[in-house]
Amino acid sequence: MDRRSFLKTSAAGTAALAAVSVLPGCNGSEKKSRKASGVELNISFQEGTAPGDDLSQKLDFMESLGVTGFEPGGRGLSDRVDEIKAALNGRNIKVSAICAGFKGFILAEDPAVKELFDTTMREIIVAAGELGSTGVIMVPAFNAQTPCKPHTLETRDYLCEELRKLGDFALEHGTTVILEPLNRKEAFYMRLVADAAAIARDSGSKGVKAMGDFWHMQEETSDYGALMSAGKEYLQHIHIASRGNRKMPGEDGELDVYTDGFRALKEIGYDKYVSFECGLAGEDRAAAVTNAVNLLRKQWTEA
Ligand code: MG
């Protein structure tokens, strides 16, 4: 290509780009209408997040902040169904998701460990259904869980098949199982939101879903791209924490930007929960939690 034809091609390219920028869906007014679509930020807390001596005090605090979701741990959940139902009765707070709590793991080589997973996970799923939870969060295998099936194509097929059975069981109980990708230090097997969503899809069960955790999403190249890739069909839950040290959102200052991910959630019309899963850097839990909620609401509006 000589310089003359190169310039010609470049000019055509520039014109094409200019045309694309005014196509419907790519201009500013479309973005504005998405912003005005009224997708709400539903905030949820795990049990340790709010200050308070007991569950009732914690829920009082959550209500005062307008927090509408509660994410209990799954351990011993079937014995807590009545307690949790009674505590939520008359409040504007629902169970968002159940955080793991099962024993064993789904990719265990040892049949006894796999059996332990199947039994305890199903027990939690039944309780989750009774509590109206969106799902039960699970990780296929933490790095420390051994012996684990090798990271091969056959194992992925096995995982999808086992998840199909689990997902269908969850659907029968009015809930789902939610795959949580973690960062490579915790679970190399599944790190990306898109990968979790693809495994959910390939399971063939509508009862298998995926989630994103803004802490673990340090693995992603784009918060927006990661959450968009799962989309409304697969995205069932979100975890949030500060982005430097996994403390309360806002405690890592300028690092704690969630607008890129929030924009994706607004654009897909995400109607589930954004749930706090984090520690506390400061001394004053009530102040840090309040600041965090205000920060997320501000960024949601800006997104
Ligand atoms: Mg998490």
Side-chain angles (χ1 to χ4, degrees):
M1 185 186 286
D2 61 21
R3 181 174 161 78
R4 196 181 177 87
S5 60
F6 170 76
L7 286 173
K8 245 176 143 178
T9 314
S10 302
T14 307
L17 277 177
V20 165
S21 71
V22 295
L23 285 174
C26 299
N27 62 18
S29 64
E30 174 74 10
K31 199 173 174 189
K32 233 177 228 169
S33 73
R34 280 176 183 155
K35 277 191 176 181
S37 64
V39 183
E40 280 185 34
L41 172 63
N42 302 314
I43 298 177
S44 161
F45 283 179
Q46 287 190 340
E47 198 155 356
T49 304
D53 294 333
D54 55 30
L55 182 55
S56 165
Q57 284 185 13
K58 287 168 188 283
L59 293 170
D60 286 346
F61 186 88
M62 287 159 68
E63 262 186 336
S64 75
L65 284 180
V67 171
T68 53
F70 171 56
E71 181 188 321
R75 185 161 300 172
L77 190 69
S78 29
D79 295 332
R80 295 191 67 199
V81 169
D82 291 341
E83 174 212 342
I84 293 171
K85 272 186 179 171
L88 295 180
N89 188 32
R91 296 184 187 270
N92 186 30
I93 301 176
K94 292 187 168 60
V95 170
S96 56
I98 306 297
C99 193
F102 47 84
K103 294 175 183 161
F105 62 111
I106 198 168
L107 292 180
E109 282 279 27
D110 183 345
V113 178
K114 167 64 165 47
E115 173 66 27
L116 189 61
F117 167 80
D118 283 332
T119 312
T120 55
M121 180 63 172
R122 279 170 170 76
E123 217 176 278
I124 295 169
I125 287 171
V126 172
E130 285 181 53
L131 289 167
S133 173
T134 65
V136 181
I137 298 165
M138 64 170 282
V139 173
F142 284 86
N143 292 342
Q145 289 179 307
T146 53
C148 178
K149 288 189 180 296
H151 197 165
T152 61
L153 186 55
E154 288 70 27
T155 298
R156 190 185 187 281
D157 290 344
Y158 169 84
L159 177 63
C160 288
E161 176 56 20
E162 291 302 304
L163 284 171
R164 183 187 60 74
K165 292 185 251 174
L166 204 57
D168 286 351
F169 179 81
L171 280 184
E172 284 168 25
H173 290 273
T175 190
T176 68
V177 294
I178 306 172
L179 297 173
E180 180 170 18
L182 304 183
N183 69 64
R184 68 192 71 184
K185 291 177 196 161
E186 292 190 40
F188 191 81
Y189 192 92
M190 198 176 67
R191 301 177 296 109
L192 303 175
V193 175
D195 195 24
I199 291 172
R201 178 197 63 195
D202 294 345
S203 77
S205 171
K206 299 275 182 214
V208 183
K209 301 288 184 181
M211 65 173 286
D213 179 322
F214 277 101
W215 166 251
H216 295 291
M217 281 166 61
Q218 58 192 261
E219 292 285 336
E220 310 280 353
T221 50
S222 158
D223 292 342
Y224 178 85
L227 299 176
M228 286 301 275
S229 69
K232 195 175 184 181
E233 185 174 357
Y234 297 107
L235 204 59
Q236 192 80 345
H237 198 59
I238 296 285
H239 276 161
I240 201 160
S242 75
R243 310 200 80 171
N245 296 293
R246 208 180 190 182
K247 303 298 183 189
M248 216 56 82
E251 287 192 321
D252 283 325
E254 287 178 359
L255 291 177
D256 295 342
V257 178
Y258 311 95
T259 43
D260 195 42
F262 282 176
R263 189 162 55 87
L265 297 180
K266 288 169 83 167
E267 288 185 15
I268 65 173
Y270 179 73
D271 57 4
K272 304 296 191 300
Y273 296 89
V274 174
S275 194
F276 281 49
E277 182 180 54
C278 55
L280 172 73
E283 297 287 313
D284 187 343
R285 178 170 289 276
V289 168
T290 306
N291 288 341
V293 167
N294 291 337
L295 176 76
L296 299 196
R297 290 205 173 115
K298 181 172 175 283
Q299 293 194 7
W300 185 266
T301 306
E302 290 165 359

